[in-house]
Amino acid sequence: MARIIVVTSGKGGVGKTTTSSSIATGLALKGHRTVVIDFDVGLRNLDLLMGCERRVVYDFVNVINGEAELHQALIRDKRTENLSILPASQTRDKEALTHEGVEKVLNQLAKDFEYIICDSPAGIEHGALMALYFADEAIITTNPEVSSVRDSDRILGILQSKSRRAVENLEPVKEHLLVTRYNPDRVTRGEMLNIQDVEEILAIPLIGVIPESTSVLKASNQGVPVVCNTESDAGQAYNDVVARFLGEDIPHRFLEPAKKGFLQRMFGGIG
Amino acid sequence: MNLMQLFRSSRKEDNSAAIAKERLQIIVAHERNSRSGRDFLPAMERDILQVIQKYIEIQQECIDIKLDSQDGCSILEVNVQLPN
């Protein structure tokens, strides 16, 4: 039975697509047949982060409208076995995603894949609602910042009232909190909400903390999900998230400021 | 603590994270209340007013109803100002 996982947040720019690409790649690297779907119709970007933007021929909406077969639209990842990408349409609007259409595609994918990752668009409009509707689990991507935390809480309310599992009175969507762009130095200085604060306010289990890292921009520049960069802190943190998602019990890392050398300790960063 | 920080003031407003947490706790609690079906309050207020008006003459503004939750316990507070 395939698991459908939505990566969502409410707020834009918090790292949903970065997270979708890394978690999908991480699951595939562990040998699980995984597909990642871009639900951001009109503003697709998952293809760029996955480095397959020049291989897009057909898209999600083409498949829904019967203009292409699913296998024609799916892009097999060149680096990672077991991984496919279903890109969003760049030209249609979000209304092109119908309940019936999305359900049909998900059912078809469920035959071939173990995990279906749905990369939600920002906001709480149609595209975001479609991305979360069929979810079994949700990864709530949140920055330690007031507007992001508030929007995450809003999305949690929607998951609990408007998802298929809520509407059909099934077991609720399993929620996971993923805090991204965490900066332990700023937390120590009292300039940023700490992990316990965010956990306490949102009151859902924490699946991981991704530190603010230069490797994330580098990864998107290159079109290689940051999880592949096992040297980097963010890459390691995403690897931990994938392992925890698969049931491993691993302590959280990168919560404390990096140890500094003597000179740095004396003079620090200015500002 | 480094030398630069020694020269910085350590007033309370420097700890903006604490302010963020406090503001978030209030707004999130408020928004959760308003989406958890608490919109029956105005109708209930009207009904209670009608029952009281059967016996005592009071005005709409003499009745105040609040629903609060503290530590997982909900408190319904009904305040009626009776005329002298």
Side-chain angles (χ1 to χ4, degrees):
Chain A
M1 193 60 197
R3 292 292 280 175
I4 303 177
I5 300 132
V6 62
V7 178
T8 185
S9 69
K11 192 176 182 301
V14 298
K16 283 182 297 298
T17 304
T18 296
T19 298
S20 300
S21 63
S22 274
I23 288 184
T25 304
L27 286 168
L29 284 170
K30 297 224 175 212
H32 297 282
R33 281 168 289 123
T34 306
V35 58
V36 54
I37 310 177
D38 192 347
F39 272 78
D40 204 345
V41 174
L43 285 171
R44 75 165 171 238
N45 278 319
L46 180 68
D47 54 339
L48 272 178
L49 293 209
M50 298 293 298
C52 65
E53 68 278 9
R54 295 174 50 121
R55 297 167 62 208
V56 177
V57 183
Y58 294 109
D59 59 59
F60 194 12
V61 174
N62 290 141
V63 179
I64 287 177
N65 292 346
E67 296 151 0
E69 293 294 323
L70 181 57
H71 70 86
Q72 293 177 294
L74 280 177
I75 301 170
R76 289 179 73 137
D77 194 87
K78 280 204 168 150
R79 280 177 307 271
T80 315
E81 253 186 276
N82 306 313
L83 180 60
S84 293
I85 299 118
L86 182 55
S89 167
Q90 188 68 314
T91 51
R92 318 286 177 103
D93 57 52
K94 291 187 168 59
E95 312 304 316
L97 301 175
T98 59
H99 262 96
E100 299 71 30
V102 173
E103 187 171 23
K104 211 178 91 193
V105 173
L106 290 177
N107 284 340
Q108 236 177 310
L109 288 170
K111 290 181 200 149
D112 295 326
F113 295 95
E114 292 165 76
Y115 292 104
I116 302 173
I117 314 291
C118 303
D119 182 24
S120 173
I124 50 171
E125 305 298 319
H126 186 74
L129 297 182
M130 288 297 15
L132 67 79
Y133 187 78
F134 296 98
D136 300 307
E137 305 195 33
I139 295 176
I140 315 295
T141 312
T142 307
N143 289 168
E145 175 270 326
V146 284
S147 50
S148 174
V149 175
R150 179 202 214 172
D151 291 357
S152 290
D153 190 68
R154 188 79 201 281
I155 274 289
L156 285 169
I158 292 172
L159 277 165
Q160 289 154 13
S161 61
K162 293 192 177 158
S163 62
R164 183 183 67 97
R165 283 176 171 271
V167 173
E168 295 179 4
N169 260 322
L170 305 170
E171 193 186 323
V173 176
K174 193 172 175 194
E175 298 152 346
H176 307 276
L177 171 62
L178 179 70
V179 176
T180 52
R181 306 196 72 163
Y182 192 66
N183 186 329
D185 283 305
R186 303 197 71 182
V187 170
T188 309
R189 291 201 296 265
E191 293 172 8
M192 182 180 267
L193 289 165
N194 66 34
I195 291 297
Q196 292 76 28
D197 293 343
V198 181
E199 267 186 288
E200 191 186 322
I201 292 163
L202 293 177
I204 59 170
L206 180 70
I207 196 166
V209 180
I210 312 298
E212 169 96 84
S213 167
T214 52
S215 57
V216 173
L217 180 59
K218 259 187 233 165
S220 82
N221 287 343
Q222 296 168 332
V224 180
V226 69
V227 75
C228 298
N229 182 353
T230 47
E231 306 276 293
S232 73
D233 46 1
Q236 291 171 12
Y238 272 117
N239 259 307
D240 287 1
V241 170
V242 171
R244 278 187 212 108
F245 184 83
L246 293 171
E248 284 180 49
D249 187 15
I250 309 177
H252 292 283
R253 293 194 273 172
F254 313 110
L255 304 184
E256 302 299 329
K259 296 231 170 5
K260 290 178 176 173
F262 174 72
L263 280 177
Q264 257 186 310
R265 227 174 23 241
M266 291 299 285
F267 298 101
I270 296 172
Chain B
M1 175 71 87
N2 62 46
L3 282 182
M4 288 305 181
Q5 279 171 313
L6 270 184
F7 299 112
R8 273 195 216 128
S9 65
S10 54
R11 284 165 304 154
K12 192 185 165 235
E13 54 263 42
D14 278 1
N15 191 346
S16 57
I19 302 170
K21 184 184 181 187
E22 202 183 309
R23 291 174 59 215
L24 267 172
Q25 280 174 323
I26 294 168
I27 190 69
V28 163
H30 179 78
E31 288 174 350
R32 276 181 197 161
N33 269 344
S34 57
R35 71 171 180 243
S36 58
R38 301 288 163 88
D39 40 0
F40 60 82
L41 274 186
M44 187 168 73
E45 187 173 311
R46 213 170 41 241
D47 287 354
I48 294 177
L49 183 73
Q50 277 173 7
V51 172
I52 298 174
Q53 275 173 336
K54 259 172 78 176
Y55 304 95
I56 308 167
E57 250 185 61
I58 60 164
Q59 299 300 312
Q60 170 88 47
E61 51 275 14
C62 299
I63 186 165
D64 180 38
I65 295 190
K66 265 190 234 152
L67 193 54
D68 272 326
S69 42
Q70 282 170 355
D71 310 319
C73 174
S74 294
I75 302 165
L76 176 69
E77 195 183 308
V78 182
N79 247 314
V80 185
Q81 259 190 12
L82 298 179
N84 291 327

Coordinates of all heavy atoms in Angstrom, one line a residue, chain A residues 160-222:
Chain A
Q160 N -6.8 18.9 9.6 CA -7.7 18.3 10.5 C -9.2 18.4 10.2 O -10.1 17.8 10.8 CB -7.5 18.8 11.9 CG -6.1 18.3 12.5 CD -5.5 19.3 13.5 OE1 -6.2 20.2 14.0 NE2 -4.3 19.1 13.9
S161 N -9.5 19.3 9.2 CA -10.9 19.5 8.8 C -11.2 19.2 7.4 O -12.3 18.8 7.0 CB -11.3 20.9 9.2 OG -10.6 21.8 8.5
K162 N -10.2 19.4 6.5 CA -10.6 19.3 5.0 C -9.8 18.3 4.3 O -10.0 18.1 3.1 CB -10.3 20.7 4.4 CG -11.2 21.8 4.9 CD -11.2 23.0 4.1 CE -12.2 24.0 4.5 NZ -11.8 25.4 4.1
S163 N -9.0 17.5 4.9 CA -8.3 16.4 4.2 C -9.3 15.2 4.0 O -10.4 15.2 4.7 CB -7.1 15.9 5.0 OG -7.5 15.4 6.2
R164 N -9.0 14.3 3.1 CA -9.9 13.2 2.9 C -10.1 12.4 4.2 O -11.3 12.0 4.5 CB -9.3 12.3 1.8 CG -10.2 11.1 1.5 CD -9.5 10.2 0.5 NE -8.4 9.5 1.0 CZ -8.4 8.3 1.5 NH1 -9.5 7.6 1.5 NH2 -7.3 7.8 2.1
R165 N -9.0 12.2 4.9 CA -9.1 11.5 6.2 C -10.1 12.1 7.2 O -10.8 11.5 7.9 CB -7.7 11.3 6.8 CG -7.0 10.2 6.0 CD -5.6 10.0 6.5 NE -5.0 8.8 5.9 CZ -5.0 7.6 6.5 NH1 -5.6 7.4 7.6 NH2 -4.5 6.6 5.9
A166 N -10.1 13.5 7.2 CA -11.0 14.2 8.1 C -12.4 14.1 7.6 O -13.3 13.8 8.4 CB -10.5 15.6 8.2
V167 N -12.6 14.4 6.3 CA -13.9 14.4 5.7 C -14.6 13.0 5.9 O -15.8 12.9 6.2 CB -13.9 14.8 4.3 CG1 -15.2 14.7 3.6 CG2 -13.4 16.2 4.2
E168 N -13.8 11.9 5.7 CA -14.4 10.6 5.7 C -14.3 9.9 7.1 O -14.6 8.7 7.2 CB -13.7 9.7 4.6 CG -14.0 10.2 3.2 CD -13.3 9.3 2.2 OE1 -12.7 8.3 2.5 OE2 -13.4 9.7 1.0
N169 N -13.9 10.8 8.1 CA -13.8 10.3 9.5 C -12.9 9.1 9.6 O -13.2 8.1 10.4 CB -15.2 9.9 10.0 CG -15.8 11.0 10.8 OD1 -15.0 11.6 11.6 ND2 -17.0 11.3 10.7
L170 N -11.8 9.1 8.9 CA -10.8 8.0 9.0 C -9.8 8.4 10.1 O -9.8 9.5 10.7 CB -10.1 7.7 7.7 CG -11.1 7.5 6.5 CD1 -10.3 7.5 5.2 CD2 -11.7 6.1 6.7
E171 N -8.8 7.5 10.3 CA -7.7 7.9 11.2 C -7.1 9.2 10.7 O -6.8 9.3 9.5 CB -6.7 6.7 11.1 CG -5.6 6.8 12.2 CD -4.6 5.7 12.0 OE1 -4.9 4.6 11.5 OE2 -3.4 6.0 12.3
P172 N -6.8 10.1 11.6 CA -6.3 11.4 11.1 C -5.0 11.4 10.4 O -4.2 10.4 10.5 CB -6.1 12.3 12.4 CG -6.8 11.5 13.5 CD -6.9 10.1 13.0
V173 N -4.7 12.4 9.6 CA -3.4 12.5 8.9 C -2.3 12.5 9.9 O -2.4 13.3 10.9 CB -3.4 13.8 8.0 CG1 -2.0 14.0 7.4 CG2 -4.5 13.8 7.0
K174 N -1.2 11.8 9.7 CA -0.1 11.8 10.7 C 0.7 13.0 10.4 O 1.3 13.2 9.3 CB 0.7 10.5 10.5 CG 1.7 10.2 11.6 CD 2.3 8.8 11.5 CE 3.4 8.6 12.5 NZ 4.2 7.5 12.2
E175 N 0.9 13.8 11.5 CA 1.6 15.1 11.3 C 3.0 15.1 11.8 O 3.3 14.5 12.8 CB 0.8 16.2 12.0 CG -0.6 16.4 11.5 CD -1.6 16.9 12.5 OE1 -1.2 16.9 13.7 OE2 -2.7 17.4 12.2
H176 N 3.9 15.7 11.0 CA 5.3 15.8 11.4 C 5.8 17.2 11.3 O 5.5 17.8 10.3 CB 6.2 14.9 10.5 CG 5.8 13.5 10.3 ND1 6.2 12.5 11.2 CD2 5.1 12.9 9.4 CE1 5.7 11.4 10.8 NE2 5.0 11.6 9.7
L177 N 6.4 17.7 12.3 CA 7.0 19.1 12.3 C 8.4 19.0 11.8 O 9.3 18.3 12.3 CB 6.9 19.7 13.7 CG 7.6 21.0 13.8 CD1 7.0 22.1 12.9 CD2 7.6 21.5 15.3
L178 N 8.7 19.8 10.7 CA 10.1 19.9 10.3 C 10.5 21.4 10.3 O 9.9 22.2 9.6 CB 10.2 19.4 8.8 CG 11.6 19.5 8.2 CD1 12.6 18.6 8.9 CD2 11.7 19.3 6.7
V179 N 11.4 21.7 11.2 CA 11.9 23.1 11.3 C 13.1 23.3 10.4 O 14.0 22.6 10.5 CB 12.2 23.5 12.8 CG1 12.8 24.9 12.9 CG2 11.0 23.3 13.7
T180 N 12.9 24.3 9.5 CA 14.0 24.5 8.6 C 14.6 25.9 8.8 O 14.0 26.8 9.4 CB 13.5 24.4 7.1 OG1 12.4 25.3 7.0 CG2 13.1 23.0 6.8
R181 N 15.8 26.2 8.3 CA 16.5 27.4 8.4 C 16.8 27.8 9.9 O 16.6 29.0 10.3 CB 15.8 28.6 7.7 CG 15.5 28.3 6.2 CD 15.1 29.5 5.5 NE 16.3 30.3 5.3 CZ 16.3 31.3 4.4 NH1 15.3 31.5 3.6 NH2 17.4 32.0 4.2
Y182 N 17.1 26.8 10.6 CA 17.3 27.0 12.1 C 18.7 27.5 12.3 O 19.7 27.0 11.7 CB 17.1 25.7 12.8 CG 17.1 25.8 14.3 CD1 16.0 26.4 14.9 CD2 18.0 25.2 15.1 CE1 15.9 26.5 16.3 CE2 18.0 25.3 16.5 CZ 16.9 26.0 17.1 OH 16.8 26.1 18.4
N183 N 18.9 28.6 13.0 CA 20.2 29.2 13.3 C 20.5 29.2 14.8 O 20.1 30.1 15.5 CB 20.2 30.6 12.7 CG 21.5 31.2 12.7 OD1 22.3 31.0 13.7 ND2 21.8 32.1 11.8
P184 N 21.2 28.2 15.2 CA 21.5 28.0 16.7 C 22.2 29.2 17.3 O 21.9 29.6 18.5 CB 22.4 26.8 16.8 CG 22.2 26.0 15.5 CD 21.8 27.1 14.5
D185 N 23.0 29.9 16.5 CA 23.7 31.1 17.0 C 22.7 32.2 17.4 O 22.8 32.8 18.5 CB 24.7 31.7 16.0 CG 25.9 30.9 15.9 OD1 26.6 30.7 17.0 OD2 26.3 30.4 14.8
R186 N 21.7 32.4 16.5 CA 20.7 33.4 16.8 C 19.8 33.0 17.9 O 19.3 33.9 18.6 CB 19.9 33.7 15.5 CG 20.8 34.2 14.3 CD 20.1 34.8 13.2 NE 19.6 36.2 13.7 CZ 18.9 37.0 12.9 NH1 18.5 36.6 11.7 NH2 18.6 38.1 13.4
V187 N 19.5 31.7 18.0 CA 18.7 31.2 19.1 C 19.4 31.5 20.4 O 18.8 32.0 21.4 CB 18.4 29.7 19.0 CG1 17.8 29.1 20.2 CG2 17.5 29.5 17.7
T188 N 20.7 31.3 20.5 CA 21.5 31.5 21.7 C 21.4 33.0 22.1 O 21.4 33.3 23.3 CB 23.0 31.1 21.5 OG1 23.0 29.8 21.0 CG2 23.7 31.1 22.8
R189 N 21.4 33.9 21.1 CA 21.4 35.3 21.4 C 20.0 35.8 21.7 O 19.8 37.0 21.8 CB 21.9 36.1 20.2 CG 23.5 35.9 20.0 CD 24.1 37.0 19.1 NE 23.5 37.0 17.8 CZ 24.1 36.4 16.7 NH1 25.2 35.8 16.9 NH2 23.6 36.5 15.6
G190 N 19.0 34.9 21.7 CA 17.6 35.3 21.9 C 17.0 36.0 20.8 O 16.0 36.7 20.9
E191 N 17.5 35.8 19.6 CA 17.0 36.5 18.4 C 16.0 35.6 17.6 O 15.4 36.1 16.6 CB 18.1 36.9 17.4 CG 19.0 38.0 18.0 CD 20.2 38.2 17.1 OE1 20.3 37.7 16.0 OE2 21.1 39.0 17.5
M192 N 16.0 34.3 17.9 CA 15.2 33.4 17.1 C 14.5 32.4 18.1 O 15.1 32.0 19.1 CB 16.1 32.7 16.2 CG 15.4 31.7 15.2 SD 16.6 30.8 14.1 CE 16.5 31.9 12.7
L193 N 13.2 32.1 17.7 CA 12.5 31.1 18.5 C 13.3 29.8 18.5 O 13.9 29.4 17.5 CB 11.2 30.8 17.8 CG 10.1 31.9 17.8 CD1 9.0 31.6 16.8 CD2 9.5 32.0 19.2
N194 N 13.3 29.1 19.7 CA 14.1 27.9 19.7 C 13.1 26.7 19.4 O 11.9 26.9 19.3 CB 14.8 27.7 21.1 CG 13.8 27.6 22.2 OD1 12.7 27.0 22.1 ND2 14.2 28.1 23.4
I195 N 13.7 25.5 19.2 CA 12.9 24.4 18.8 C 11.8 24.1 19.8 O 10.7 23.8 19.4 CB 13.8 23.1 18.7 CG1 14.8 23.3 17.5 CG2 13.1 21.8 18.5 CD1 14.1 23.4 16.2
Q196 N 12.1 24.2 21.1 CA 11.0 23.8 22.1 C 9.9 24.8 22.0 O 8.7 24.4 22.1 CB 11.6 23.9 23.5 CG 12.6 22.8 23.9 CD 14.0 23.1 23.2 OE1 14.4 24.3 23.0 NE2 14.7 22.1 22.9
D197 N 10.2 26.1 21.7 CA 9.1 27.1 21.5 C 8.2 26.7 20.4 O 6.9 26.6 20.5 CB 9.7 28.5 21.2 CG 10.4 29.1 22.3 OD1 10.3 28.6 23.5 OD2 11.2 30.0 22.1
V198 N 8.8 26.3 19.2 CA 8.0 26.0 18.0 C 7.2 24.7 18.3 O 6.0 24.6 18.0 CB 8.9 25.8 16.8 CG1 8.1 25.5 15.5 CG2 9.7 27.1 16.6
E199 N 7.8 23.7 18.9 CA 7.1 22.5 19.2 C 6.0 22.7 20.2 O 4.9 22.2 20.0 CB 8.1 21.5 19.9 CG 8.9 20.6 19.0 CD 9.7 19.6 19.9 OE1 10.7 20.1 20.5 OE2 9.3 18.4 20.0
E200 N 6.2 23.6 21.2 CA 5.2 23.8 22.2 C 4.0 24.5 21.5 O 2.8 24.2 21.8 CB 5.8 24.7 23.2 CG 4.9 24.9 24.5 CD 5.5 25.9 25.4 OE1 6.7 25.9 25.6 OE2 4.7 26.6 26.0
I201 N 4.2 25.5 20.6 CA 3.1 26.2 20.0 C 2.3 25.3 19.0 O 1.1 25.3 19.0 CB 3.6 27.5 19.3 CG1 4.1 28.5 20.4 CG2 2.5 28.1 18.5 CD1 5.0 29.5 19.9
L202 N 3.0 24.6 18.2 CA 2.3 23.8 17.2 C 1.9 22.4 17.7 O 0.9 21.8 17.2 CB 3.2 23.6 16.0 CG 3.5 24.9 15.2 CD1 4.4 24.6 14.0 CD2 2.2 25.5 14.7
A203 N 2.5 22.0 18.8 CA 2.1 20.7 19.5 C 1.9 19.5 18.6 O 1.0 18.8 18.6 CB 0.8 21.0 20.2
I204 N 2.9 19.3 17.7 CA 3.0 18.1 16.9 C 4.4 17.5 17.0 O 5.3 18.3 17.3 CB 2.6 18.3 15.4 CG1 3.5 19.3 14.7 CG2 1.1 18.7 15.3 CD1 3.2 19.4 13.2
P205 N 4.6 16.2 16.8 CA 5.9 15.6 16.9 C 6.9 16.2 15.9 O 6.6 16.3 14.7 CB 5.7 14.1 16.7 CG 4.2 13.9 16.6 CD 3.5 15.2 16.4
L206 N 8.1 16.4 16.4 CA 9.2 16.9 15.6 C 9.9 15.8 14.8 O 10.4 14.8 15.5 CB 10.2 17.6 16.5 CG 11.4 18.3 15.9 CD1 11.1 19.5 15.1 CD2 12.5 18.6 17.0
I207 N 10.0 15.9 13.5 CA 10.7 14.9 12.8 C 12.2 15.3 12.4 O 13.0 14.5 12.1 CB 10.0 14.5 11.5 CG1 10.5 13.2 11.0 CG2 10.0 15.6 10.4 CD1 9.7 12.5 9.9
G208 N 12.4 16.6 12.5 CA 13.8 17.0 12.2 C 14.0 18.5 12.2 O 13.0 19.3 12.2
V209 N 15.3 18.9 12.3 CA 15.7 20.3 12.3 C 16.7 20.5 11.2 O 17.8 19.8 11.3 CB 16.2 20.8 13.7 CG1 16.6 22.2 13.6 CG2 15.2 20.5 14.8
I210 N 16.5 21.3 10.2 CA 17.5 21.6 9.2 C 18.1 22.9 9.5 O 17.4 23.9 9.5 CB 16.8 21.6 7.8 CG1 15.9 20.4 7.6 CG2 17.9 21.7 6.7 CD1 16.5 19.1 7.6
P211 N 19.4 22.9 9.7 CA 20.1 24.2 10.0 C 20.1 25.1 8.8 O 20.2 24.6 7.7 CB 21.5 23.8 10.4 CG 21.7 22.5 9.7 CD 20.4 21.8 9.6
E212 N 20.1 26.4 9.0 CA 20.3 27.4 8.0 C 21.7 27.1 7.4 O 22.7 26.9 8.2 CB 20.3 28.8 8.6 CG 20.8 29.9 7.7 CD 19.6 30.6 7.1 OE1 19.1 31.5 7.7 OE2 19.3 30.2 5.9
S213 N 21.8 26.9 6.1 CA 23.1 26.4 5.6 C 23.3 26.9 4.1 O 22.4 27.0 3.3 CB 23.1 24.9 5.5 OG 24.1 24.4 4.8
T214 N 24.6 27.3 3.9 CA 24.9 27.7 2.5 C 24.8 26.6 1.5 O 24.6 26.8 0.3 CB 26.4 28.3 2.5 OG1 27.2 27.2 3.0 CG2 26.5 29.5 3.3
S215 N 24.8 25.4 2.0 CA 24.7 24.2 1.1 C 23.4 24.1 0.4 O 23.2 23.5 -0.7 CB 25.1 22.9 1.8 OG 24.2 22.7 2.9
V216 N 22.3 24.7 1.0 CA 21.0 24.6 0.4 C 20.9 25.4 -0.9 O 20.4 24.9 -1.9 CB 19.9 25.1 1.4 CG1 18.5 25.1 0.7 CG2 19.8 24.1 2.6
L217 N 21.4 26.6 -0.9 CA 21.4 27.4 -2.1 C 22.4 26.8 -3.2 O 22.0 26.7 -4.4 CB 21.9 28.9 -1.8 CG 21.9 29.8 -3.0 CD1 20.6 29.9 -3.7 CD2 22.4 31.2 -2.6
K218 N 23.5 26.3 -2.7 CA 24.4 25.6 -3.6 C 23.7 24.4 -4.3 O 23.9 24.2 -5.5 CB 25.6 25.1 -2.9 CG 26.9 26.0 -3.0 CD 28.1 25.3 -2.4 CE 28.7 26.2 -1.3 NZ 29.6 25.5 -0.4
A219 N 23.0 23.7 -3.5 CA 22.3 22.5 -4.1 C 21.3 22.9 -5.1 O 21.2 22.3 -6.2 CB 21.6 21.7 -3.0
S220 N 20.5 24.0 -4.9 CA 19.5 24.4 -5.8 C 20.2 25.0 -7.1 O 19.7 24.8 -8.2 CB 18.5 25.3 -5.2 OG 18.9 26.7 -5.2
N221 N 21.3 25.7 -6.9 CA 22.1 26.2 -8.0 C 22.4 25.0 -9.0 O 22.4 25.2 -10.2 CB 23.4 26.8 -7.6 CG 23.2 28.2 -6.9 OD1 22.1 28.8 -7.1 ND2 24.2 28.7 -6.2
Q222 N 22.8 23.9 -8.4 CA 23.3 22.8 -9.2 C 22.2 21.8 -9.6 O 22.4 21.0 -10.4 CB 24.3 22.0 -8.4 CG 25.6 22.9 -8.1 CD 26.5 22.2 -7.0 OE1 26.0 21.5 -6.2 NE2 27.8 22.5 -7.1

